[in-house]
């Protein structure tokens, strides 16, 4: 485990109602979402979608840092499709996930190296390592 460094940001949210019929708001008012179970016809998102969005955004920034270190210019149409699966096995819930990374115009072996470097940079990727099955796919 790495030693904590200087805190540069703290996200604060207040959630009530959980995934079934909840609301989550950030302390700065920028996030205000209704929550609902996956597949529900009710208005709202679910924690898996929020995790996928946060992780893919963080990973794209990590890719940019990895590319900058190698003096590689990333294309404007770089994209990440995140898929987060919620599993149920013997009354236990767990997650698995895939990040499908598209870096058009970059040689596949170079793109794969950037993805591997980003895995070691992205705080989300480091947090889940060894905790959930995650696959990183260059598409």
């Amino acid at each position: 485990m790495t030693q904590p460094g200087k805190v540069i940001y703290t996200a604060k949210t207040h959630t009530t109602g959980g995934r079934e019929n909840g609301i989550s708001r950030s302390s700065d008012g920028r996030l205000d979402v209704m929550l609902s179970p996956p597949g529900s016809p009710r208005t709202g998102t679910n924690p898996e979608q929020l995790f996928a969005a946060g992780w893919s955004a963080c990973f794209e920034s990590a890719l940019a840092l990895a590319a900058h270190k190698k003096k590689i210019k990333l294309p404007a149409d770089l994209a990440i499709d995140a898929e987060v699966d919620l599993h149920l096995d013997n009354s236990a819930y767990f997650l698995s996930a895939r990040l499908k990374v598209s870096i058009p115009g970059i040689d596949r072996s170079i793109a794969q190296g950037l993805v591997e470097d980003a895995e070691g940079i992205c705080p989300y990727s480091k947090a889940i390592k060894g905790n959930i099955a995650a696959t990183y796919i260059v598409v």
Side-chain angles (χ1 to χ4, degrees), residues 52-66 74 78-80 82 99-103 111-126 128 135-138:
W55 183 22
S56 58
C58 184
F59 198 81
E60 187 165 330
S61 294
L63 274 171
L65 183 57
L74 293 176
L78 179 147
I80 300 173
L99 287 187
K100 296 178 180 180
V101 183
S102 173
I103 311 176
Q112 185 64 46
L114 290 173
V115 166
E116 290 168 7
D117 291 348
E119 283 182 62
I121 295 169
C122 175
Y124 277 75
S125 295
K126 290 191 278 187
I128 67 156
T135 306
Y136 301 83
I137 305 160
V138 175

Side-chain angles (χ1 to χ4, degrees), residues 47-58 80-84 99 124:
E48 292 73 29
Q49 289 171 329
L50 292 169
F51 182 71
W55 183 22
S56 58
C58 184
I80 300 173
D81 292 317
E83 300 174 352
V84 175
L99 287 187
Y124 277 75

